[in-house]
Amino acid sequence: MEYFAKFTRHIGTPRRSPPGGTSQLAQFEKAWKIVQSICYYQSKWRGMRVEKTPLSEHLDVMFDLLVKEDIQQAGSDDWTTGACMEYLLGNGVLEALVGLAETDQPVGARGVVISNLSTFISLTDDKLLVQKAVHNPLLELLHWYGSGETEDGSSPGPSYDECYVDLLYAICSKIRGDPMLLNIFFQDRKWLKSVEQRSFSSDSIAAMMRSIESLRSEGGTATSGFEFLLFSHLLRFVHRDGEVGDTARTSLLFLLELATTEIMASTGGNTALEMFILEDSGFSAILSATLGAMYSQLPRSLRVTTGPAAVIPESFPSYSADLQKAIESSIFSANDQHSLAERWPEDR
């Protein structure tokens, strides 16, 4: 596609290192070699807490250098790749870090890696997600974290959910800013089987979009036809209290907006997304069950006095806050499902 070809032209050629670029690259390589030694010799750190290792310190150095370099590139209107970013893309850095996160050795490495990935995605340019060295490790992380069990049989654990939801939010924010990025994460299962181990490129993404167009022309259904790990994983957290639940609900709103956006309509991708949300995601059932569970906690009788603020009795102050959260988290369910239901008959 012309859209992705534009990025490929810009990213493909590294620029000559600016003043200070060489020293930044040296710092990056030095920090990466230390992190790499932890990745390769995990048995040495097995059972040890990550706080007692140099992992966090040197990951911070690496990602700080990457973000700083990307900001400098953007400020100078330079679309070419900086030295540190070129090293990351060409040496499988993120792939190795996701592998380290999966084993979670030293203990806590998973949270440190996911947190740094979240910051990296949030603060760098959208175009980086098009690179297979960036989105392939992210897709791998989504697969094993969402399955609830890693390669070694361990569970991702609830202690990492907050940083994981932050990562999902960062990705959703990038997709919201550039809806065409949705095609990297919203995948046709039949197309996935046909390419199996092949990485994403502008050609392969175009092939997936042709598959979506074919689905529309044949009048097929989306049931079991698409995989959208971002959406499915966010639904696991939509009922949570506190920051995790708020972040998950906001991220879902970003994705729901894409179902009716004109940019996605021009490619046919929005129709497939509507089909997935309505028929294959379990979105309606999960949101209805969440709201029902919250209402079931309310007292059976209410003492109504003058004024709308007194509808919830003062003797149950916690219910008021919980009910408000439930209403806020489900408002978009009613609105967006109504909008989709109105559009759906027209598309079919």
Side-chain angles (χ1 to χ4, degrees), residues 175-220:
I175 294 174
R176 186 195 190 197
D178 192 344
M180 296 302 292
L181 294 174
L182 177 69
N183 296 299
I184 296 174
F185 298 93
F186 182 55
Q187 302 164 349
D188 184 345
R189 287 194 182 102
K190 293 181 180 179
W191 174 82
L192 283 174
K193 290 180 180 179
S194 69
V195 297
E196 289 190 51
Q197 301 300 324
R198 286 188 296 174
S199 59
F200 289 101
S201 65
S202 59
D203 292 335
S204 61
I205 293 173
M208 183 177 68
M209 295 185 67
R210 286 194 296 272
S211 176
I212 294 174
E213 287 290 348
S214 175
L215 179 69
R216 294 184 70 203
S217 62
E218 295 173 4

Side-chain angles (χ1 to χ4, degrees), residues 30-302:
K30 181 180 178 181
W32 169 235
K33 286 179 180 178
I34 295 173
V35 173
Q36 209 171 22
S37 68
I38 297 175
C39 294
Y40 291 157
Y41 302 103
Q42 294 179 28
S43 58
K44 176 182 177 182
W45 311 98
R46 188 167 296 277
M48 186 180 295
R49 293 294 308 176
V50 70
E51 293 83 1
K52 297 182 179 180
T53 73
L55 180 65
S56 298
E57 176 187 351
H58 292 288
L59 278 180
D60 287 344
V61 171
M62 289 172 56
F63 283 101
D64 284 348
L65 287 170
L66 288 167
V67 171
K68 180 180 179 181
E69 183 181 77
D70 191 73
I71 292 174
Q72 289 175 343
Q73 298 282 105
S76 61
D77 294 325
D78 190 343
W79 284 73
T80 55
T81 309
C84 295
M85 192 68 72
E86 186 71 19
Y87 186 93
L88 177 137
L89 296 176
N91 292 276
V93 172
L94 296 186
E95 182 180 359
L97 290 179
V98 168
L100 177 66
E102 185 173 9
T103 61
D104 199 25
Q105 293 296 331
V107 178
R110 187 174 297 157
V112 172
V113 170
I114 293 176
S115 179
N116 276 281
L117 285 175
S118 176
T119 302
F120 175 66
I121 298 300
S122 296
L123 299 180
T124 53
D125 197 279
D126 300 0
K127 67 179 182 290
L128 288 173
L129 279 177
V130 181
Q131 289 292 310
K132 66 179 182 180
V134 176
H135 65 245
N136 276 356
L138 289 175
L139 288 169
E140 178 64 23
L141 189 153
L142 292 179
H143 274 285
W144 61 252
Y145 197 104
S147 68
E149 189 173 282
T150 59
E151 192 177 60
D152 61 359
S154 63
S155 170
S159 60
Y160 305 115
D161 285 349
E162 183 173 353
C163 56
Y164 181 66
V165 171
D166 286 342
L167 175 61
L168 298 183
Y169 174 83
I171 297 173
C172 291
S173 296
K174 294 299 182 182
I175 294 174
R176 186 195 190 197
D178 192 344
M180 296 302 292
L181 294 174
L182 177 69
N183 296 299
I184 296 174
F185 298 93
F186 182 55
Q187 302 164 349
D188 184 345
R189 287 194 182 102
K190 293 181 180 179
W191 174 82
L192 283 174
K193 290 180 180 179
S194 69
V195 297
E196 289 190 51
Q197 301 300 324
R198 286 188 296 174
S199 59
F200 289 101
S201 65
S202 59
D203 292 335
S204 61
I205 293 173
M208 183 177 68
M209 295 185 67
R210 286 194 296 272
S211 176
I212 294 174
E213 287 290 348
S214 175
L215 179 69
R216 294 184 70 203
S217 62
E218 295 173 4
T221 64
T223 303
S224 302
F226 290 87
E227 180 177 82
F228 195 11
L229 294 177
L230 276 177
F231 196 93
S232 300
H233 291 188
L234 286 167
L235 285 177
R236 294 168 48 194
F237 305 102
V238 72
H239 65 282
R240 294 281 188 90
D241 291 329
E243 188 174 348
V244 171
D246 290 340
T247 304
R249 289 186 286 271
T250 302
S251 301
L252 277 174
L253 276 173
F254 291 165
L255 298 179
L256 289 169
E257 288 176 4
L258 296 178
T260 55
T261 182
E262 293 299 323
I263 296 177
M264 293 305 297
S266 64
T267 67
N270 71 322
T271 300
L273 183 57
E274 288 178 9
M275 294 163 67
F276 174 84
I277 293 172
L278 290 172
E279 298 187 5
D280 205 28
S281 67
F283 175 72
S284 301
I286 292 173
L287 266 293
S288 299
T290 301
L291 185 58
M294 190 61 67
Y295 269 105
S296 69
Q297 299 179 33
L298 291 173
R300 294 184 178 276
S301 60
L302 300 177

